[in-house]
Amino acid sequence: MFSYKSRILAVSIGSMLTLASCNAQDGDKSATPPAVSSAAIATVNGVPISQARFNFLLQLSQQQGQPDSPEARKNLREKLITEEIVAQEALKKGMDKSADVLTQIDLARQTILIRTYLQDFIKNNPLSDDALKAEYEKIKSQMGDKEYHARHILVEKEAEAKDIIAKLKKGEKFEKLAEKSKDPGSKVKGGDLGWAAPANFVPEFSAAMTKLKKGQYTTEPVKSQFGWHIIKLEDSRMLQAPPFDEVKQNLRQRAQQQQIDKMISDLRAKAKVEEKTEAAADKK
């Protein structure tokens, strides 16, 4: 249950989009020389550490905000040399033959492939500002022009809700009775839900809340999929939507996630998938 601003700003981006934007740090760290020869920044026991690997990691560090400097380059060089030394020792012990290690390498390879594919997909399916503005206006219209500061008490049974309403009518404090609520997020705050637009609540809750006047509470229990509510309206005000430029990036991420979800759904629909039980897979 959020306000309009937090709904836009706190967009939840799924794991696939996160995967597309995260840094490629799962690269090959084994002591095996690269398949294609290239300039080397150093050799360790005759094994070259490629300039390409050095450049790649240097670029990643800069993308993460690390400044380029002779000291940073020296530290990266030393890090790669140390990693190569340790990796060679692991190879001597045959750790590259371990089933667990081979599985991890396979997973790392797949992760990099997926990330690269998603990055390419995003690059080739750009979102225009006009499309984002249209989505912005759509969300604004859905949220309405007012937001409400409400409290609620949520209980399992209607009889419990009626009992709480009876106590309210006798003068007991809403905040105190909210301790009986089964909503863990609001019960510790006297049932306070903060400021939110009606669209952030389930329809039954919104319909009852918007009929209340400041200071009033529902005299009949309100049923929703979560249980029975007693709602109190603390106040209402005109909704001030954040400027488009302030939420543009979050809107872009939200739209990109929707694009990715659809693309994956389409790929899944075309794929031939034969699921097997764990027992059957273990016998292979």
Side-chain angles (χ1 to χ4, degrees):
M1 297 178 177
F2 305 100
S3 68
Y4 171 81
K5 184 172 182 178
S6 63
R7 172 170 174 168
I8 292 185
L9 295 181
V11 175
S12 175
I13 307 303
S15 60
M16 297 305 284
L17 184 55
T18 301
L19 186 62
S21 62
C22 65
N23 292 317
Q25 294 177 336
D26 298 312
D28 177 20
K29 291 185 178 179
S30 73
T32 306
V36 179
S37 62
S38 63
I41 62 163
T43 59
V44 178
N45 299 320
V47 178
I49 301 174
S50 72
Q51 182 73 49
R53 182 183 296 194
F54 177 88
N55 292 343
F56 181 73
L57 293 176
L58 181 64
Q59 183 181 25
L60 282 182
S61 69
Q62 291 172 359
Q63 290 172 353
Q64 294 169 354
Q66 299 296 324
D68 189 6
S69 68
E71 183 179 3
R73 288 174 176 252
K74 178 182 177 182
N75 290 339
L76 177 56
R77 184 187 302 269
E78 289 301 314
K79 177 177 180 291
L80 289 173
I81 291 171
T82 299
E83 289 179 344
E84 183 61 39
I85 291 169
V86 175
Q88 288 185 19
E89 291 303 307
L91 289 174
K92 288 179 183 178
K93 291 181 175 293
M95 292 179 177
D96 59 320
K97 306 297 192 298
S98 162
D100 285 346
V101 170
L102 291 172
T103 298
Q104 290 179 63
I105 292 172
D106 185 51
L107 287 171
R109 176 181 176 276
Q110 186 181 64
T111 297
I112 294 167
L113 286 171
I114 293 170
R115 179 193 303 128
T116 304
Y117 182 84
L118 294 178
Q119 289 172 336
D120 182 72
F121 176 82
I122 290 171
K123 178 181 177 181
N124 290 303
N125 292 273
L127 292 161
S128 68
D129 280 1
D130 287 343
L132 295 178
K133 286 177 181 176
E135 182 65 14
Y136 173 76
E137 293 299 331
K138 177 182 176 182
I139 293 174
K140 279 178 61 178
S141 65
Q142 290 173 343
M143 299 307 292
D145 58 1
K146 291 182 73 175
E147 60 181 348
Y148 297 78
H149 180 194
R151 296 179 185 269
H152 85 140
I153 301 170
L154 177 64
V155 292
E156 193 71 39
K157 298 179 180 178
E158 183 180 14
E160 295 177 79
K162 288 184 175 181
D163 181 59
I164 290 172
I165 291 171
K167 290 178 179 178
L168 286 170
K169 289 180 178 179
K170 291 179 181 179
E172 294 193 36
K173 296 292 185 182
F174 194 98
E175 292 83 347
K176 181 65 177 176
L177 291 170
E179 294 175 0
K180 299 180 180 180
S181 178
K182 69 172 189 172
D183 178 2
S186 66
K187 67 184 295 183
V188 295
K189 299 181 292 184
D192 195 348
L193 296 170
W195 287 96
N200 286 301
F201 302 101
V202 292
E204 302 91 341
F205 190 104
S206 296
M209 177 183 67
T210 54
K211 291 176 183 176
L212 296 172
K213 294 181 180 179
K214 181 177 178 179
Q216 287 185 336
Y217 58 85
T218 50
T219 55
E220 291 293 331
V222 178
K223 190 178 188 309
S224 79
Q225 65 198 73
F226 303 106
W228 294 87
H229 306 262
I230 304 95
I231 306 165
K232 180 182 179 182
L233 180 63
E234 293 289 345
D235 206 352
S236 63
R237 66 188 181 191
M238 296 305 294
L239 179 63
Q240 295 296 320
F244 170 73
D245 287 342
E246 186 177 324
V247 297
K248 177 179 174 181
Q249 185 56 32
N250 287 297
L251 286 169
R252 185 181 302 281
Q253 291 178 331
R254 180 176 182 268
Q256 285 175 340
Q257 183 60 52
Q258 291 172 342
Q259 285 182 315
I260 288 173
D261 289 344
K262 183 180 184 306
M263 176 268 290
I264 292 173
S265 178
D266 291 343
L267 289 176
R268 180 79 190 223
K270 292 186 292 185
K272 182 180 179 181
V273 179
E274 297 179 10
E275 296 190 32
K276 298 181 179 180
T277 64
E278 291 184 23
D282 288 341
K283 291 179 181 180
K284 292 288 185 180

